[in-house]
């Protein structure tokens, strides 16, 4: 199996498995992760689909050439029976016997082809034509000589079969995509698979507060909690809370980089508040369960980091409001107060 096919099938299968796992893990409507499932299937089949399309275009061009230019011995001759035979070996032996009595053909030999047994027919001193049988039972006569047509006629008479002359060899199969189109296809497969993984993350975590990379990290933590026996559900919640504390902390930088647009500044504050609330819900779930002493200590450390991150974002929002360059500051100030309120509530709880 070539690397492109391995990438498409392996990656597509991984996306399909990820979508099926997410459907079970996150629950909700079964159609929730259907887009990701579809993308995985498409990614797995892209190389085969392109190869089939290439073959279909080639076949169409040959059919058009048949109508416009006709056939010639130099271009080769392919005859395919319209009917089928039941026993390939008996059919080939019968043809071999019939060829032995015809002076137009010098020699006939049994030959093992990749597709199965067949006959090699020598004529004109150095020309060869071949008789093979497809898996479906159709007899195929091929060669690059005018005598190939005579061979097809003889097989037709001996086996009571009618033949169609064509340029499509049923044994050629689909040719793989090569060259520059192969590079393009590889990039396309990678993009499609990446879109499938992103679709899982977008369906699992719908909040606008998270970008695709952050959603992927959260899904990865959830998957590790299910797949790794050494990671408990409590550990997974703590890992997500720790990651979300980092996301909140990065919000202070985003606030400062948001430009002088009050809407964009406020949006960064809202996103930090959403991530902060999600982190606190995870910490509450840990404490309401039966955490070990180490897990409680870890939860306390994460909460302190989260409080520092909230203060950092609130300070950044206050700085932008005090600068007077962002226009309307009412919403910005309100978000700062809500972030500080969470911090103060934690401080009161610690003193109690």
């Amino acid at each position: 199996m070539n690397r492109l096919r391995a990438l498409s099938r392996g990656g597509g299968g991984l996306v399909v498995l990820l979508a099926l796992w997410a459907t079970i893990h996150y629950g909700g409507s079964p159609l929730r992760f259907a887009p990701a499932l579809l993308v995985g299937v498409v990614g797995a089949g892209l190389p085969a689909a392109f190869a089939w399309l290439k073959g279909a275009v080639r076949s169409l061009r040959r059919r058009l050439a048949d109508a416009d230019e006709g056939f010639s011995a130099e271009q080769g001759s392919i005859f395919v029976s319209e009917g089928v035979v039941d026993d390939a070996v008996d059919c080939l032996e019968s043809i071999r016997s019939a060829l032995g009595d015809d002076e137009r053909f010098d020699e006939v030999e049994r030959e093992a082809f990749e597709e199965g047994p067949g006959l090699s027919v020598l004529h004109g001193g150095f020309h060869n034509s071949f008789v093979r049988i497809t898996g479906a039972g159709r007899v195929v006569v091929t060669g690059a000589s005018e005598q190939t047509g005579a061979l097809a006629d003889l097989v037709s008479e001996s086996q009571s079969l009618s033949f169609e002359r064509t340029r499509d060899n049923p044994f050629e199969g689909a040719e793989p995509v090569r060259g520059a189109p192969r590079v393009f296809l590889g990039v396309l497969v990678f993009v499609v698979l990446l879109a499938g993984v992103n679709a899982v993350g977008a369906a699992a975590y719908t909040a606008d507060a998270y970008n695709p990379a952050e959603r992927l990290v959260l899904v990865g933590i959830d998957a590790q909690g299910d797949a790794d026996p050494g990671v408990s559900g409590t550990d997974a919640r703590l890992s997500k809370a720790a990651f979300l504390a980092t996301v909140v902390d990065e919000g202070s930088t985003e606030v400062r980089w948001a430009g002088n647009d009050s809407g964009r500044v406020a949006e960064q504050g809202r996103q930090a508040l959403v991530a902060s609330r999600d982190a606190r819900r995870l910490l509450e779930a840990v404490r309401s369960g039966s955490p070990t002493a180490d897990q409680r200590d870890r939860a306390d450390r994460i909460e302190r980091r989260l409080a520092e991150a909230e203060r950092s974002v609130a300070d950044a929002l206050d700085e932008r409001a005090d600068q007077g360059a962002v226009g309307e500051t009412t919403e910005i100030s309100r978000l700062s107060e809500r972030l500080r309120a969470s911090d103060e509530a934690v401080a009161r709880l610690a003193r109690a």
Side-chain angles (χ1 to χ4, degrees):
M1 182 181 295
N2 60 49
R3 285 176 290 181
L4 176 59
R5 191 173 300 174
L7 170 66
S8 66
R9 292 183 180 178
L14 183 61
V15 172
V16 169
L17 289 176
L18 184 63
L20 293 174
W21 164 82
T23 302
I24 298 171
H25 179 88
Y26 297 105
S29 170
L31 298 178
R32 184 177 171 187
F33 296 95
L37 187 66
L38 179 61
V39 170
V41 172
V42 170
L46 268 179
F50 268 71
W52 177 88
L53 180 61
K54 177 182 176 182
V57 171
R58 182 182 61 194
S59 176
L60 179 61
R61 291 177 60 186
R62 285 173 173 176
R63 290 179 183 275
L64 293 176
D66 291 350
D68 296 340
E69 302 173 10
F71 293 94
S72 70
E74 290 75 14
Q75 291 176 318
S77 301
I78 302 170
F79 298 85
V80 181
S81 69
E82 296 179 356
V84 298
V85 296
D86 297 327
D87 191 312
V89 175
D90 287 347
C91 175
L92 291 171
E93 286 301 316
S94 176
I95 295 172
R96 185 168 178 270
S97 299
L99 287 170
D101 298 330
D102 196 309
E103 296 180 354
R104 292 173 297 178
F105 304 102
D106 302 332
E107 188 178 352
V108 56
E109 294 181 351
R110 301 183 186 90
E111 189 162 337
F113 295 94
E114 183 179 350
E115 304 84 12
L119 299 175
S120 175
V121 182
L122 180 67
H123 49 83
F126 57 90
H127 289 293
N128 274 89
S129 295
F130 306 94
V131 180
R132 288 178 284 177
I133 300 179
T134 67
R138 297 188 183 277
V139 181
V140 180
V141 179
T142 59
S145 167
E146 294 179 357
Q147 285 288 63
T148 303
L151 174 60
D153 290 339
L154 186 149
V155 173
S156 174
E157 294 173 5
S158 67
Q159 303 300 312
S160 300
L161 293 171
S162 58
F163 281 81
E164 177 188 6
R165 190 172 186 182
T166 178
R167 284 190 173 90
D168 289 327
N169 191 332
F171 295 111
E172 281 186 354
E175 294 183 3
V177 180
R178 296 185 175 89
R182 182 182 180 83
V183 176
F184 167 77
L185 181 57
V187 173
L188 180 61
V189 168
F190 180 78
V191 170
V192 168
L193 296 178
L194 192 62
V197 174
N198 181 53
V200 173
Y205 292 91
T206 57
D208 293 335
Y210 307 122
N211 61 40
E214 291 165 348
R215 291 187 180 109
L216 182 58
V217 171
L218 293 171
V219 169
I221 294 173
D222 290 332
Q224 183 184 23
D226 283 353
D228 189 347
V231 178
S232 67
T234 299
D235 291 331
R237 293 187 188 94
L238 288 170
S239 295
K240 286 202 295 184
F243 174 71
L244 291 176
T246 303
V247 172
V248 175
D249 189 49
E250 291 174 352
S252 61
T253 303
E254 299 294 337
V255 167
R256 292 186 175 93
W257 287 358
N260 293 328
D261 185 332
S262 60
R264 290 181 59 193
V265 173
E267 180 60 27
Q268 295 299 332
R270 279 191 291 270
Q271 291 179 2
L273 188 59
V274 169
S276 171
R277 287 176 173 173
D278 287 347
R280 293 198 180 282
R281 277 194 287 266
L282 288 166
L283 293 173
E284 289 172 6
V286 168
R287 291 195 174 100
S288 64
S290 301
T292 64
D294 289 341
Q295 289 172 336
R296 282 195 298 270
D297 290 343
R298 187 183 177 193
D300 292 340
R301 291 195 301 271
I302 293 171
E303 190 145 34
R304 287 193 292 271
R305 286 173 49 201
L306 180 60
E308 292 173 0
E310 289 169 339
R311 286 196 299 272
S312 178
V313 177
D315 290 342
L317 289 170
D318 289 341
E319 289 175 12
R320 299 308 309 273
D322 293 341
Q323 287 174 356
V326 295
E328 177 59 44
T329 61
T330 303
E331 179 66 11
I332 296 174
S333 299
R334 186 179 69 84
L335 290 166
S336 174
E337 291 173 0
R338 294 174 70 180
L339 285 163
R340 292 188 189 280
S342 298
D343 179 22
E344 292 169 0
V346 173
R348 287 194 300 271
L349 182 62
R351 289 194 296 272

